[in-house]
């Protein structure tokens, strides 16, 4: 059972590596050069996702932690998060329809949500394979010799 769990952990780590690589590639692409706030938003939500704290990605937290709004921020009166995420979705769509069209992994943020989804694209070049764990040697003691 432990071997199966190790293999599962390696597969998950491999997918996570592809997701992180895509995030790094998107940031390095220059699509956010004129929009540092959008880069900051993407960095915030992806970091939370990679840390395993995606449940904390809420409109209020984004406003206060990523956009520097005061703790008194009222999301019913201020639509900054919704507006910025609309722009972020548009920018990601533009990127994946142009420069990033051949990428094997895409970052999507569904409408009405703030948690990033990493979509593996069929037919795109595959991510590098995750190395298999070394084989486990199972030895059986030799039967006692009879004289």
């Amino acid at each position: 059972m432990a071997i199966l769990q190790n293999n599962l952990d390696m597969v998950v780590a491999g997918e996570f590596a592809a997701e992180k690589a895509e995030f790094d590639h998107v940031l390095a692409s220059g699509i956010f050069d004129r929009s540092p706030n959008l880069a900051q938003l993407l960095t915030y939500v992806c970091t939370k996702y990679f840390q395993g704290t995606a449940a904390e990605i809420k409109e209020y937290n984004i406003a206060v932690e990523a956009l520097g709004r005061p703790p008194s921020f009222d999301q019913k009166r201020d639509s900054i998060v919704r507006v910025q995420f609309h722009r972020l979705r548009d920018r990601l769509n533009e990127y994946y329809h142009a420069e990033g069209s051949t990428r094997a992994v895409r970052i999507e943020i569904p409408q009405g949500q703030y948690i990033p989804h990493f979509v593996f694209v069929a037919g795109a070049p595959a991510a590098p394979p995750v190395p298999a764990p070394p084989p486990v040697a199972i030895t059986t003691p030799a039967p006692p010799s009879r004289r």
Side-chain angles (χ1 to χ4, degrees):
M1 181 68 172
I3 292 173
L4 291 177
Q5 183 60 45
N6 286 342
N7 286 341
L8 177 61
D9 291 343
M10 290 182 75
V11 169
V12 170
E15 288 182 14
F16 224 51
E19 293 166 337
K20 283 185 170 187
E22 181 59 17
F23 166 68
D24 291 339
H25 190 273
V26 168
L27 283 183
S29 72
I31 65 167
F32 299 120
D33 285 351
R34 293 183 171 190
S35 306
N37 278 349
L38 297 182
Q40 188 173 342
L41 283 178
L42 185 63
T43 299
Y44 176 82
V45 297
C46 287
T47 299
K48 289 287 190 186
Y49 174 85
F50 295 139
Q51 291 173 342
T53 55
E56 296 175 10
I57 302 174
K58 306 283 186 202
E59 187 173 354
Y60 175 83
N61 293 345
I62 293 166
V64 174
E65 296 173 13
L67 297 175
R69 293 297 192 261
S72 61
F73 174 78
D74 183 357
Q75 59 210 32
K76 291 179 183 174
R77 294 179 184 216
D78 190 341
S79 63
I80 187 69
V81 175
R82 293 184 299 278
V83 169
Q84 291 295 343
F85 267 85
H86 178 76
R87 291 179 180 153
L88 176 58
R89 287 182 195 100
D90 284 349
R91 189 66 54 93
L92 288 170
N93 283 334
E94 289 172 16
Y95 172 74
Y96 287 118
H97 281 95
E99 178 185 342
S101 64
T102 61
R103 303 293 298 164
V105 180
R106 294 181 181 207
I107 303 172
E108 296 179 359
I109 303 173
Q111 188 70 29
Q113 298 179 27
Y114 302 115
I115 297 173
H117 292 239
F118 291 83
V119 178
F120 290 78
V121 181
V130 177
V136 177
I138 300 174
T139 57
T140 309
S145 61
R146 294 187 181 192
R147 291 189 178 198

